[in-house]
Amino acid sequence: MKQTSKRPPKPRRQALFPGISERLLPFMLKLNKWLIRTAVAMAAALALCLALFLYVRSQPLPVAAISQTSQMLDLHGNVIDTFHAGENRRSVPLEDISRDLIHATLSIEDRRFYEHDGFDLRGLARAVVVNVQSMSARQGASTLTQQLARNLYLSHEKTWQRKLKEALYTAKLEMDYTKDDILSMYLNQIYYGHGSYGIEAASMLYFDKHASELTLAESAMLAGIPKGPKYYSPYMDMKNAKDRQYLILESMTEGGFITKEQAENAYREVLDLKPLDSGEPEGFAPYFRDYIRQLALDEIGIQPSVLNKGGITIYTTLDQNIQNAAEDAIKNGIPGDSGQQAALVAIDPRNGYIKAMVGGRDYRTNQYNRVFARTRQPGSAFKPLLYLTALRSRYMTPVTQFRSEPTVFSYDEGRKSYEPRNYGDKYANDLIDMRKAISTSDNIYAVNTLMTIGADKVIQTSKDLGISSPLDPVPSLALGSSPISPFEMASAYSVFASGGFRVEPIAILRIEDRKGKVLYEAKPVMNQPISPAEAYVMTSLLEGVFEQGGTANRVSSIIKRPVAGKTGTTDYDAWLVGYTPELSTAVWVGHDKNKKLTLAEAHRAAPIFASFMEGALSAVPPKMFAVPEGVSTVYIEPSTGRLAAASCGTRRLETFLSGTEPTEICGTSDHADGHEEGNVTEQQTRSNEKTRKKKAWWHDFKKWWSD
C-alpha cells in the first residue's frame, strides 16, 4: 500500500514579547467583549433615540385650552369692552410687540433662545454660576420653550412624570414650530398679574397702550413681572418692581441690546401707570355693551364659551363721540339729586347704525335698559304716524281744518264715548289746520284725524315704519296711549329722515374669530314703506315744532341746523323724538315707578335732545332736508286753507303732495296772463317753489349767523 506523506504543520509565530502577551491576553479578550457590548449598546441607544424621535414626531401636542379675551370695538376701531372668563388675554402677532419687550424678555429668561434646540445646558450652567455669584435668582434655568410647554400643557407639580412630559412637549414644540412662533406663543400666554395673560392684555392693563407702543422702560418693567406677579407688580411693590427693572436693563446691556446710557435713562424714566381701579366699574356705554352681548348670544347664536374665551372681535356701530354727547346731555340735563330716569337712542337713518344708547342714569345701581322698555306711553310723539297716515290717504292735507275746542267723540257704534283734553286745557276755540295742530300738539285735532281715517290704517302705517309693540284701535291711540319703546320711536322717525326708506337698525357689523375669520356679517335689510314726497311733507310739518309757537321752540336756539321732531307729554312720561338728515333720536324722561312728573321734570326731554343733537353733530356741517319729486309748495291763506293770491292779506308757504294742493283762491289773481281765479299755473308753482327754497335757505343762514 502506497503511503501518502503529510505536510508538516506551519510553525507557530513566536510572540515578540512572550511574557507581556500572556499577561495581556485575558484583558484583550475582555476588552473585545466590552467593545462589542458597547457597540451593541450604542446601536440600541441610537435605535431607541430614533424610535423616540419618530414617536415624538408622530404624536400630536395636547390641545391647549388657552382662554382668549374677546373684545368689542366701536365704529372707528376703538376698544369699548372686553370679555373674558377670569383670564384677560388678547393674542397679537410677534411683529405687533415692541422689540424692546422682546429683547428684555430674552435677556432675563433665555438669552440663547435662538441658539439651542429647546434645552440649553450651557445656559443652565451659566445661570447656576451667575445665581451663585450674586446669591440671588438673577437668571432662570428653564428655556422659554420649556416654560411654554409647562404653561400650555402641564401643571406646576414637582414630579418626575411631569418633568418627563415637559421634556417631551418641549422637544415636540421645537419640532413643530419655528423659534418666532414659540416666542410669540410664549409672550401671548405668560401671566403678568392682575388677571392679565399675554403682553397685549398686560400692556393695556398697566399702561393703557398696545404692546407695539411700549417704551424701553415700560418693556423692562413688564418683562420682570412674570417671575413673580405678586412680588414684582408695580401695583403690589414698586421698589421690588424697580429693582427687577434695573436687573433686566443691566442684562440687556450685557447682551448688547442697549447701551449703558439707554439703560440709565430708562431706569430714571417715570412710568405713567394706569390706575388699577379707575372707579368706573360700569365702563363705557354699559347699556349698549349689554345689548351687544345679548344680540351675540341670543340672536346671532355665539356660544358663551366662545364669547368669553374664544378671542373673538365684535365690530359695532357705536360712535364714541356721539355716545359721549348722549351721556353728557343726560348727565347735565337732570339734577344729580333727582330720582328721575332717562333714556336716549340715536340711529343713523342712512344705514340703520345705532350710534348711541343710554338706558338709564346710573348703570351701577340699575342695569335695566329703558331704551327697550315697552311700558311707556309716547303721548303726542306718536302723532306724526297718525298724520302720515292721513296724508297718505289723500283725505287730508296740511290745510285740512278741524275745530279746536272741548269735544266728546262717540265710537264703537255709539256705545262708547271719549273726551280728550288739551294740555293745560288750552284750546284755540277756532278752526286750525294740520300744521297748527302739530306745532301746538292739539289733541282734539288728532282725535278728529283718527276718527276720519280709521285706527286700523294708523296701526298698519306704524307697523310699516317698524313699530312692533301692540297698538289698541281706540280713539286714544291718536294721543299715544299705547306703550312704545324709545328704540321703536327712533327707528320709525328715521324713515322721515331718510326720505321714506327704512333700514332695520344695526348694532353689530361683523364678528371675527381670533384668526380673522368672519363668523357673522350684518346684511342690511332695507325697504321703502312711504314715498320720499310723503316723508318730506311730514318733515316740513314737523319742522314747525321748533319754530315760533311750537312746543319745542324754547330749545330751537340751541340747535343750529335744520331739525324736525315732535314732543310728547303724559302724566308720567315726557319725550322728544326728532331728527336731522344724519341722526334720528328718541329721548324719554320719567320715573321707573308710577310717579307723576312735575312741571320741571316734564320739560327736561327737549333740552336733553337739543344738547345731544348739537353736541353729536358739532363737527358736521348743517344740512337741509332734500326736496324730492312729487312735492308742491304754494302760498296759502292760513285761515281758509285756500291758495293765496297777491291781494290776500296773510300768506304762508305750505308744502303738499303733488295733486293735493287747494284749488280755490283767496283774493284776486294777479297773473299777467289773465287766468281766471281757481286755476294755478305750472309757472306759479315753480315760482313758489323757488321762493320757498330761497326763503328757507336765508332763514337757516340767518339763524346760524345770529347764534
Side-chain angles (χ1 to χ4, degrees):
M1 177 181 293
K2 185 178 181 179
Q3 292 186 348
T4 60
S5 62
K6 293 184 178 179
R7 181 181 296 179
K10 188 176 182 178
R12 294 183 63 182
R13 187 176 178 179
Q14 288 282 346
L16 186 59
F17 302 101
I20 297 176
S21 298
E22 290 178 3
R23 287 195 295 268
L24 290 180
L25 182 59
F27 175 77
M28 295 297 293
L29 292 175
K30 290 182 179 180
L31 179 62
N32 189 43
K33 293 180 180 180
W34 278 109
L35 287 175
I36 295 173
R37 291 175 182 175
T38 300
V40 171
M42 290 180 65
L46 183 62
L48 180 62
C49 289
L50 180 61
L52 182 61
F53 173 82
L54 295 175
Y55 173 78
V56 173
R57 187 81 175 179
S58 64
Q59 294 300 307
L61 283 165
V63 177
I66 301 177
S67 172
Q68 292 282 332
T69 298
S70 297
Q71 60 183 2
M72 183 190 303
L73 308 182
D74 74 351
L75 190 59
H76 304 294
N78 302 308
V79 178
I80 59 177
D81 194 19
T82 57
F83 306 102
H84 56 83
E87 295 186 6
N88 180 17
R89 187 198 313 272
R90 188 72 195 174
S91 295
V92 291
L94 191 63
E95 56 266 25
D96 289 342
I97 299 175
S98 166
R99 302 306 298 177
D100 286 330
L101 186 282
I102 293 174
H103 294 157
T105 302
L106 292 176
S107 294
I108 198 65
E109 297 291 347
D110 192 351
R111 191 176 296 179
R112 296 186 63 253
F113 172 72
Y114 282 98
E115 300 172 24
H116 61 67
D117 294 321
F119 306 95
D120 186 13
L121 298 180
R122 280 179 53 190
L124 175 61
R126 186 187 69 252
V128 171
V129 172
V130 170
N131 293 341
V132 169
Q133 289 177 344
S134 63
M135 298 302 292
S136 65
R138 291 171 60 96
Q139 294 187 7
S142 297
T143 65
L144 290 188
T145 313
Q146 288 176 280
Q147 294 181 51
L148 179 63
R150 182 165 59 247
N151 291 324
L152 283 178
Y153 312 117
L154 301 167
S155 67
H156 290 265
E157 60 179 346
K158 296 181 179 181
T159 64
W160 287 108
Q161 184 181 14
R162 196 274 297 166
K163 291 181 179 296
L164 178 59
K165 287 183 178 180
E166 178 184 311
L168 292 175
Y169 295 153
T170 297
K172 181 62 175 174
L173 283 171
E174 290 282 345
M175 292 178 188
D176 290 357
Y177 297 98
T178 66
K179 285 292 187 178
D180 283 350
D181 290 338
I182 294 172
L183 180 58
S184 177
M185 287 190 287
Y186 175 85
L187 292 174
N188 278 301
Q189 66 82 38
I190 199 69
Y191 183 52
Y192 286 89
H194 307 286
S196 61
Y197 288 78
I199 189 57
E200 178 72 4
S203 182
M204 296 301 297
L205 172 72
Y206 288 93
F207 301 111
D208 195 24
K209 60 171 60 175
H210 295 292
S212 60
E213 303 168 335
L214 291 171
T215 65
L216 173 59
E218 293 164 345
S219 297
M221 176 65 72
L222 290 181
I225 297 175
K227 181 174 179 59
K230 291 183 179 180
Y231 191 72
Y232 293 114
S233 166
Y235 295 128
M236 305 299 291
D237 193 320
M238 180 57 76
K239 182 182 182 305
N240 288 341
K242 288 296 291 182
D243 289 345
R244 181 73 172 166
Q245 180 196 43
Y246 179 83
L247 177 64
I248 292 174
L249 290 170
E250 189 179 60
S251 180
M252 293 179 71
T253 304
E254 294 173 359
F257 293 116
I258 59 175
T259 65
K260 187 71 173 178
E261 183 181 2
Q262 288 176 314
E264 292 174 353
N265 292 337
Y267 182 73
R268 288 195 298 265
E269 182 179 322
V270 178
L271 298 179
D272 185 17
L273 285 167
K274 176 184 174 183
L276 187 59
D277 183 4
S278 63
E280 296 290 339
E282 73 273 19
F284 184 74
Y287 293 99
F288 180 80
R289 287 164 28 216
D290 283 355
Y291 176 57
I292 293 297
R293 187 183 183 96
Q294 177 260 319
L295 286 180
L297 294 174
D298 300 338
E299 301 294 330
I300 298 176
I302 299 297
Q303 294 298 315
S305 59
V306 175
L307 180 64
N308 294 322
K309 302 179 181 179
I312 64 174
T313 300
I314 304 176
Y315 296 84
T316 75
T317 60
L318 189 80
D319 187 303
Q320 283 204 29
N321 294 329
I322 297 179
Q323 178 68 23
N324 283 328
E327 294 182 358
D328 289 344
I330 289 180
K331 180 180 179 180
N332 299 329
I334 300 178
D337 59 352
S338 173
Q340 189 176 20
Q341 276 295 346
L344 184 154
V345 59
I347 300 173
D348 190 329
R350 298 164 296 186
N351 50 31
Y353 289 5
I354 300 173
K355 293 293 189 69
M357 179 182 293
V358 180
R361 294 181 60 205
D362 190 349
Y363 180 84
R364 285 173 292 187
T365 59
N366 192 324
Q367 293 80 47
Y368 177 59
N369 193 343
R370 296 156 189 85
V371 164
F372 299 99
R374 294 188 175 188
T375 57
R376 319 307 307 210
Q377 294 179 336
S380 295
F382 178 79
K383 290 176 181 176
L385 281 67
L386 164 72
Y387 294 127
L388 170 65
T389 308
L391 293 174
R392 298 179 73 193
S393 71
R394 301 302 198 269
Y395 293 143
M396 296 177 61
T397 73
V399 295
T400 299
Q401 295 182 337
F402 290 114
R403 192 168 185 84
S404 173
E405 61 184 9
T407 306
V408 177
F409 295 90
S410 296
Y411 67 103
D412 194 17
E413 298 180 353
R415 290 188 291 269
K416 297 179 182 178
S417 63
Y418 177 58
E419 186 176 2
R421 300 172 63 181
N422 278 350
Y423 184 74
D425 285 327
K426 295 180 180 180
Y427 303 90
N429 292 312
D430 199 355
L431 291 172
I432 62 172
D433 60 17
M434 188 181 292
R435 181 174 290 276
K436 181 74 171 179
I438 290 176
S439 65
T440 62
S441 201
D442 192 278
N443 290 337
I444 308 303
Y445 190 101
V447 178
N448 266 309
T449 301
L450 183 79
M451 302 300 286
T452 300
I453 61 176
D456 291 341
K457 291 183 179 179
V458 177
I459 292 174
Q460 184 57 53
T461 296
S462 301
K463 290 181 179 179
D464 292 343
L465 268 62
I467 302 295
S468 57
S469 294
L471 305 176
D472 294 330
V474 294
S476 63
L477 174 64
L479 310 184
S481 61
S482 294
I484 301 175
S485 71
F487 182 78
E488 293 173 277
M489 294 298 293
S491 178
Y493 273 58
S494 71
V495 179
F496 301 142
S498 66
F501 294 90
R502 180 177 186 272
V503 184
E504 192 73 27
I506 298 172
I508 298 177
L509 295 175
R510 70 182 186 279
I511 300 176
E512 296 179 356
D513 66 11
R514 68 178 71 179
K515 296 182 179 179
K517 179 183 177 182
V518 177
L519 304 177
Y520 165 82
E521 189 163 14
K523 297 179 180 179
V525 178
M526 177 185 291
N527 56 38
Q528 186 178 357
I530 62 176
S531 70
E534 292 165 346
Y536 181 79
V537 173
M538 274 309 309
T539 294
S540 174
L541 292 169
L542 293 175
E543 285 182 299
V545 173
F546 293 87
E547 297 174 356
Q548 188 66 35
T551 55
N553 178 63
R554 67 186 185 280
V555 299
S556 61
S557 61
I558 302 176
I559 307 176
K560 302 175 178 62
R561 63 188 64 244
V563 62
K566 185 71 185 75
T567 58
T569 307
T570 71
D571 290 341
Y572 303 96
D573 308 282
W575 299 69
L576 203 159
V577 187
Y579 55 93
T580 66
E582 304 87 2
L583 216 55
S584 176
T585 302
V587 174
W588 166 87
V589 295
H591 293 277
D592 287 335
K593 297 181 179 180
N594 289 331
K595 179 181 177 181
K596 290 187 177 182
L597 296 174
T598 65
L599 184 61
E601 290 174 335
H603 283 80
R604 287 172 181 160
I608 291 174
F609 173 87
S611 175
F612 164 70
M613 293 295 279
E614 197 56 31
L617 301 174
S618 60
V620 180
K623 182 180 180 181
M624 296 182 64
F625 296 100
V627 183
E629 294 183 359
V631 171
S632 296
T633 304
V634 298
Y635 280 106
I636 58 100
E637 197 281 312
S639 65
T640 62
R642 296 178 179 179
L643 288 174
S647 59
C648 275
T650 304
R651 300 198 305 170
R652 182 184 86 207
L653 270 176
E654 190 54 82
T655 305
F656 297 87
L657 297 175
S658 295
T660 66
E661 311 93 330
T663 56
E664 295 183 3
I665 298 179
C666 162
T668 303
S669 174
D670 59 349
H671 295 166
D673 57 8
H675 280 287
E676 297 180 358
E677 287 188 2
N679 294 324
V680 182
T681 66
E682 182 179 351
Q683 181 181 0
Q684 181 190 20
T685 300
R686 289 198 301 268
S687 176
N688 288 337
E689 176 66 10
K690 291 180 181 179
T691 303
R692 187 204 66 77
K693 289 183 178 180
K694 182 177 180 180
K695 179 180 177 182
W697 177 88
W698 179 245
H699 171 77
D700 291 325
F701 177 78
K702 287 195 300 182
K703 180 180 177 183
W704 171 81
W705 181 265
S706 61
D707 291 338

